[in-house]
Amino acid sequence: MPWLVDEMAIAPEAIHKQVMQVPGVMNCHDIASRGLLGRQVFIDMHLVVEPTDVEKAHEITEEIEARLEQLYGPARITIHIEPYGYRSRKITY
Ligand SMILES: [Zn+2]
């Protein structure tokens, strides 16, 4: 049933709750998921992190991926990282 693929797999609030528990995460928004829970889910999100270096920011994404996969099974996770202060700088334009 191909239409099932476009259905939301996991409540964004549930993902948000998990992500916010990871140290270094300041904000998480635009969360979406689709796929079949327990088979293969696709999750994407925007993330505001405290560290400004790529290595530390990447570590945070690894931690998020591990947590979500442990909870929801096989998942392909795409994380769009925004540095801390990005949103407030954007507002001034
Ligand atoms: Zn964003």
Side-chain angles (χ1 to χ4, degrees), residues 11-72:
E13 296 80 11
I15 294 171
H16 184 265
K17 196 182 155 203
Q18 291 300 320
V19 171
M20 292 308 291
Q21 284 170 29
V22 176
V25 172
M26 307 302 290
N27 172 276
C28 178
H29 58 278
D30 285 2
I31 302 164
S33 69
R34 61 197 166 84
L36 289 173
L37 199 55
R39 273 276 291 280
Q40 176 72 69
V41 290
F42 301 86
I43 302 169
D44 60 82
M45 68 184 75
H46 287 198
L47 195 71
V48 180
V49 294
E50 199 176 10
T52 50
D53 61 294
V54 173
E55 206 172 337
K56 287 213 176 78
H58 178 251
E59 273 173 26
I60 294 171
T61 67
E62 298 264 278
E63 166 91 34
I64 289 169
E65 286 168 5
R67 276 184 192 229
L68 293 178
E69 286 207 296
Q70 194 177 24
L71 208 65
Y72 299 115

